[in-house]
Amino acid sequence: MGKIIALANQKGGVGKTTTAINLAASLATLEKKVLVVDADPQANASSGLGVDIQQVDTSVYDCIVSNMDPHESIYTTDIDGLDIIPSHIDLVGAEIEMLNVEQREKVLKKVLDPLRKEYDYILIDCSPSLGLITVNSLTAADSVIIPVQCEYFALEGISKLLNTIKIIKSKLNRGLEIEGFLLTMFDSRLRLANQIYEEVKRHFQELVFKSVIQRNVKLSEAPSHGIPCILYDATSTGAKNYIALAKEIAARDE
């Protein structure tokens, strides 16, 4: 049975989508079967994995709002064993359309549960908000990765997210665990980055991944080519960081 991991943080620009794309590609490189679910209306994970957003016929929106069979929304990518259910700008309105749906917090869970037996990992790229779609993602997930940017406001907002996770755990998804806090955009030369690292480590201890994602130009360039960093430049620091993270996660699950 596959494991569903949501990548969530309501603060934008912390490396959620970068992590979704590159962790998925790295897990696929380790011969895991991986599905990315792009639950962000901006659809950056979709374009970052080479999906032409304009050409998408069925997306996660159709699965959630129109009960479309998720198999019809799965697109393959340039990496063997890595598939994606893309997003669409229509997802912005999905929360309003779902208002009168029964058990509206569990719609995505119903969509993804049948896919568990086909994949080792299903990664959900959440939007930078704590709206209904993110609540759906956390209700569907077994665990959540929280990317934390090594910058001054990094810890602001985390308490709000942890509170949301706590509520979802008590009311909607008892099994929800924190997979780990992932430090992103880390620059060891900066005193501030090292302070944030120490602080996160002190607060969350063994919940912090050993792997750290360093600030890396190749990581920022790869999405514009529609490929993960590992295809763009496998020798880059960014690619190596995500391979290390994939190995860390896979080793835990074995």
Side-chain angles (χ1 to χ4, degrees):
M1 282 290 272
K3 182 175 188 179
I4 301 179
I5 304 176
L7 290 103
N9 190 333
Q10 76 275 24
K11 192 174 182 303
V14 296
K16 265 195 311 292
T17 301
T18 303
T19 299
I21 293 170
N22 291 292
L23 173 58
S26 300
L27 285 166
T29 311
L30 299 178
E31 300 188 337
K32 305 289 182 194
K33 193 103 173 61
V34 187
L35 175 70
V36 172
V37 178
D38 191 349
D40 182 352
Q42 294 174 62
N44 292 339
S46 307
S47 54
L49 283 172
V51 176
D52 182 351
I53 316 290
Q54 309 302 324
Q55 303 297 319
V56 167
D57 295 326
T58 54
S59 66
V60 72
Y61 169 81
D62 301 289
C63 300
I64 290 174
V65 174
S66 313
N67 293 328
M68 176 83 73
D69 179 355
H71 291 94
E72 292 182 32
S73 305
I74 294 174
Y75 289 69
T76 55
T77 69
D78 290 343
I79 291 188
D80 265 359
L82 173 56
D83 297 336
I84 180 165
I85 295 181
S87 186
H88 194 277
I89 190 67
D90 288 351
L91 198 58
V92 170
E95 308 208 342
I96 295 160
E97 294 180 60
M98 289 162 74
L99 282 179
N100 298 321
V101 174
E102 221 175 298
Q103 289 203 305
R104 58 179 185 224
E105 295 88 359
K106 296 187 175 176
V107 177
L108 189 59
K109 182 178 168 62
K110 286 185 194 129
V111 171
L112 298 182
D113 272 351
L115 299 175
R116 278 180 188 268
K117 54 185 184 295
E118 294 164 43
Y119 292 95
D120 297 308
Y121 290 96
I122 297 175
L123 303 183
I124 309 174
D125 184 27
C126 299
S127 67
S129 75
L130 291 177
L132 184 57
I133 302 292
T134 300
V135 169
N136 260 271
S137 303
L138 293 170
T139 304
D142 299 308
S143 63
V144 52
I145 291 175
I146 302 170
V148 181
Q149 190 181 1
C150 291
E151 292 199 352
Y152 184 64
F153 294 116
L155 296 172
E156 271 198 7
I158 284 189
S159 56
K160 204 169 168 186
L161 175 63
L162 292 176
N163 202 30
T164 303
I165 290 171
K166 201 167 142 191
I167 293 166
I168 287 170
K169 202 174 153 86
S170 67
K171 298 212 163 44
L172 295 163
N173 180 4
R174 287 196 181 284
L176 184 64
E177 297 296 336
I178 291 175
E179 186 75 29
F181 290 85
L182 175 69
L183 287 145
T184 61
M185 303 178 207
F186 180 73
D187 186 342
S188 56
R189 297 167 304 179
L190 300 178
R191 204 169 91 213
L192 177 66
N194 289 296
Q195 282 172 344
I196 301 280
Y197 180 79
E198 293 306 327
E199 199 167 328
V200 172
K201 204 89 180 114
R202 197 179 72 242
H203 266 289
F204 303 113
Q205 293 156 357
E206 69 282 353
L207 283 177
V208 182
F209 285 110
K210 289 185 182 71
S211 312
V212 171
I213 311 302
Q214 286 159 282
R215 206 174 262 291
N216 181 243
V217 177
K218 301 287 187 207
L219 272 180
S220 336
E221 290 174 356
S224 64
H225 298 270
I227 50 176
C229 197
I230 202 162
L231 285 188
Y232 182 61
D233 182 353
T235 61
S236 67
T237 307
K240 287 175 183 165
N241 290 164
Y242 278 110
I243 282 285
L245 176 65
K247 285 179 175 166
E248 190 176 338
I249 290 170
R252 282 183 188 179
D253 294 333
E254 277 156 23

